[in-house]
Amino acid sequence: MAVLRRSISRWIQRRTLAGLEPGPYDIEIRKNLRVPMDDGVELLADLITPLGDTDPRLPTVVIRGPYGRSGGVAAQARALAREGFTVLFQSCRGTAGSGGVFTPQLDDQRDGISTHRWVRQQSWCAGSVATFGASYMGYTQWAVAAELQKVDPDNAPDALCLITTMPDFGAITWDNAAFSLRNALGWTQMMDRMLHGQRLRMILSLLRPDPALNKAFDVLPLAEGDAAATGHRVHWYQDWVGHENLTDEFWTQQSHTASVPEVTAPVYMITGWYDIFLPWQLRNHAQLAAAGRPPRLTVGPWGHISRGMGAPSVAETVSFLCEHFADADSDRVAPIRAYLTGTERWFDLPSWPPPGTRTERLHLHDAGVLSPDPPTGGGTVYVYDPADPTPALGGPGLQANPGPVDNTAHERRADVVVFRGDPLSAPVIVAGEPLAHIRFRSSQPSADVFVRICDVYPDGRSMTVCDGIRRIGGIADTDPGPDADGYRDVDVPLWPTFHRFEPGHRIGVQISSGAHPRYARNTGSGEPAATAATLHRATQEISHDAATPSGIDLPVWPS
């Protein structure tokens, strides 16, 4: 029977982590270990140990997360154990049998510190400790790394393996002051169902559209969206939507961005060009690089939950940890591996953005022209109606396949304005964070500026490359107000990209005032987003004035 169970477990790994052959070790799982926290609450954890003689230099791996200890995350934990690592997989406070109440982010630093101290005291601990995990399980790593290093260095993690994550979830919840409704409300419904034992409903909602959630996206005011999606108020969602300003203590107490440069342990990162956390993860990479400790980084053609990322996440983690702790040879020729979208090629790079990248400006002109030449004047006008909000089309999200989509039909909408360059005579590779500079005015006190770059094919397809949003005039807006003519100079950072435009293709830029429900629609009033309920139609204008031109800065890599 034991042999059959092990065979089934290996078969499950092959199915869950396609392309990753199970390692040489059989494993043993001790379930529901009770780990005491500093306030007496006990959190449950599973201890997964390899059977047989393993390399004593390999670290114990700690994983902390709120999603239970089964499914895809458990498959990764077991895959690491089959490679010779002892793994402690713990459920966060208030989840999967752990004591206490689940309050996202707020308890993870103190609980993580207690857990690391407890792990180091156990007879099965290898002596060194590494951390591993994606998304929230990456946040729990950031929550403890610098703080333990400062207050209790003997118990600080010796390496971090960070997958599609960031150390400040406030920054994505209020992305440049726009509320990330699809992620925030979708995740809230998912977690609420998990906490109430509705795991099957939770899984189904990830595989197909959920009617209750789709209806909740349109509910106003935003503060009532959680009740529409779950049937009741959810305390963390109310906190999120009610704290619109990222300088509020609610957000600053759970942000660990400022301490990122203080982390001296080696760091491995993996992410995808369509991940919801990508801009912030690459900025964290830049923070560590500026401190003289650049992480190992892989960026592939993946989204947040792309199945294709599971196998390389584990395989590269194993290589990284074996290299740092067991003197294994490195299998990397450069610290960064990046997939070039628009092709099927991977590049090995010494740094990000690649050396030699330069900024090139393209200006917006009348009649939808995009050109390096300065504009001569004029403007583009469109109307945004929040009662019929500009819909979200693709883009990073929690969906399984968030890659490029064809914008052709979307660009025919009257509330989407399009600018296109001439057909390219030579390839252009954009590598980094494009930055749009839009001279903009609205007939309403508040508006959103959403900018997207597209790769326009000779056959007319307009495929997403990257995009970004900024809300102006809201209560969290710290930019200077409009000038005497009502214009604001709005900078919109776009998602990082590494994309090749082929000869004969054209670079396209589209501008609108929303992407609902990816971002909550702007009612136009400038009132607090949680309570605003009256919709105001807005006339928006983009200036093509020669003195202060609108345009977009592209980081171009002349490879």
Side-chain angles (χ1 to χ4, degrees), residues 540-557:
Q540 325 284 47
E541 185 171 359
I542 301 163
S543 171
H544 306 311
D545 181 71
T548 51
S550 296
I552 190 161
D553 289 340
L554 298 180
V556 175
W557 185 42

Side-chain angles (χ1 to χ4, degrees), residues 247-538:
T247 60
D248 290 349
E249 184 183 6
F250 173 78
W251 292 116
T252 59
Q253 67 183 319
Q254 55 187 277
S255 172
H256 308 289
T257 299
S259 65
V260 166
E262 301 170 13
V263 175
T264 59
V267 172
Y268 163 68
M269 293 181 173
I270 186 169
T271 184
W273 295 119
Y274 313 112
D275 181 50
I276 59 175
F277 297 132
L278 175 67
W280 299 278
Q281 187 158 9
L282 291 184
R283 292 167 196 163
N284 298 150
H285 178 277
Q287 287 178 283
L288 287 169
R293 296 180 294 277
R296 181 172 297 180
L297 172 67
T298 298
V299 192
W302 308 305
H304 195 66
I305 58 173
S306 296
R307 289 193 64 190
M309 189 167 49
S313 295
V314 174
E316 294 188 14
T317 291
V318 171
S319 297
F320 173 77
L321 294 178
C322 287
E323 178 185 334
H324 280 279
F325 293 96
D327 298 323
D329 293 334
S330 175
D331 59 356
R332 300 285 284 252
V333 299
I336 297 171
R337 291 198 72 225
Y339 183 90
L340 181 63
T341 63
T343 72
E344 295 183 355
R345 297 176 60 191
W346 287 86
F347 280 78
D348 295 295
L349 304 170
S351 59
W352 181 260
T357 301
R358 62 175 184 260
T359 299
E360 296 186 4
R361 168 70 68 89
L362 294 177
H363 294 104
L364 310 184
H365 293 250
D366 276 347
V369 172
L370 183 68
S371 169
D373 298 328
T376 57
T380 299
V381 179
Y382 64 98
V383 174
Y384 174 71
D385 184 358
D388 178 24
T390 313
L393 183 70
L398 297 177
Q399 65 271 33
N401 299 299
V405 295
D406 187 358
N407 288 252
T408 304
H410 182 74
E411 290 175 349
R412 297 192 189 105
R413 287 182 59 101
D415 55 2
V416 177
V417 295
V418 179
F419 303 85
R420 289 182 175 172
D422 293 332
L424 298 170
S425 59
V428 172
I429 296 178
V430 178
E433 271 191 36
L435 179 63
H437 307 276
I438 310 299
R439 186 158 173 79
F440 180 90
R441 67 180 174 186
S442 175
S443 62
Q444 298 297 338
S446 180
D448 292 347
V449 182
F450 181 83
V451 182
R452 170 171 283 176
I453 296 175
C454 290
D455 186 340
V456 184
Y457 284 60
D459 63 9
R461 285 176 295 155
S462 180
M463 304 301 292
T464 306
V465 174
C466 62
D467 53 39
I469 195 169
R470 180 174 292 278
R471 175 161 296 186
I472 58 174
I475 65 172
D477 185 9
T478 58
D479 291 338
D483 62 17
D485 294 324
Y487 282 103
R488 298 170 183 258
D489 293 316
V490 183
D491 287 347
V492 184
L494 275 61
W495 232 246
T497 188
F498 190 35
H499 182 81
R500 175 183 166 108
F501 294 85
E502 296 290 354
H505 290 218
R506 295 192 288 170
I507 298 174
V509 171
Q510 61 174 248
I511 299 176
S512 61
S513 286
H516 182 76
R518 179 177 164 193
Y519 298 102
R521 56 187 156 179
N522 193 327
T523 63
S525 67
E527 300 171 295
T531 55
T534 303
L535 302 176
H536 302 271
R537 185 181 175 97

Side-chain angles (χ1 to χ4, degrees), residues 98-354:
S98 288
V101 176
F102 179 56
T103 302
Q105 294 95 255
L106 291 183
D107 295 306
D108 289 304
Q109 185 171 84
R110 77 182 216 182
D111 287 350
I113 288 172
S114 294
T115 299
H116 277 268
R117 287 171 172 163
W118 180 86
V119 166
R120 296 275 189 175
Q121 297 170 1
Q122 306 309 305
S123 60
W124 41 259
C125 180
S128 297
V129 173
T131 54
F132 171 88
S135 192
Y136 199 107
M137 290 159 286
Y139 174 84
T140 60
Q141 297 178 62
W142 282 126
V144 300
E147 185 65 17
L148 262 177
Q149 191 171 289
K150 180 169 59 178
V151 303
D152 190 2
D154 291 342
N155 287 306
D158 299 296
L160 286 73
C161 301
L162 299 155
I163 305 163
T164 58
T165 192
M166 64 186 294
D168 179 358
F169 285 174
I172 184 178
T173 303
W174 290 98
D175 184 0
N176 290 318
F179 186 64
S180 299
L181 178 63
R182 186 171 64 191
N183 288 338
L185 192 54
W187 190 86
T188 292
Q189 186 200 62
M190 178 192 74
M191 282 303 304
D192 185 75
R193 287 177 173 176
M194 186 177 293
L195 294 175
H196 287 87
Q198 301 174 7
R199 190 171 184 85
L200 178 59
R201 288 189 70 193
M202 181 274 295
I203 293 172
L204 290 176
S205 68
L206 293 175
L207 298 176
R208 57 178 175 76
D210 184 273
L213 183 61
N214 287 340
K215 184 177 180 180
F217 286 147
D218 291 334
V219 167
L220 288 176
L222 287 180
E224 296 180 6
D226 55 347
T230 68
H232 55 266
R233 289 290 177 94
V234 179
H235 65 93
W236 68 75
Y237 180 83
Q238 292 298 314
D239 284 335
W240 293 350
V241 77
H243 291 87
E244 195 166 342
N245 198 321
L246 294 181
T247 60
D248 290 349
E249 184 183 6
F250 173 78
W251 292 116
T252 59
Q253 67 183 319
Q254 55 187 277
S255 172
H256 308 289
T257 299
S259 65
V260 166
E262 301 170 13
V263 175
T264 59
V267 172
Y268 163 68
M269 293 181 173
I270 186 169
T271 184
W273 295 119
Y274 313 112
D275 181 50
I276 59 175
F277 297 132
L278 175 67
W280 299 278
Q281 187 158 9
L282 291 184
R283 292 167 196 163
N284 298 150
H285 178 277
Q287 287 178 283
L288 287 169
R293 296 180 294 277
R296 181 172 297 180
L297 172 67
T298 298
V299 192
W302 308 305
H304 195 66
I305 58 173
S306 296
R307 289 193 64 190
M309 189 167 49
S313 295
V314 174
E316 294 188 14
T317 291
V318 171
S319 297
F320 173 77
L321 294 178
C322 287
E323 178 185 334
H324 280 279
F325 293 96
D327 298 323
D329 293 334
S330 175
D331 59 356
R332 300 285 284 252
V333 299
I336 297 171
R337 291 198 72 225
Y339 183 90
L340 181 63
T341 63
T343 72
E344 295 183 355
R345 297 176 60 191
W346 287 86
F347 280 78
D348 295 295
L349 304 170
S351 59
W352 181 260

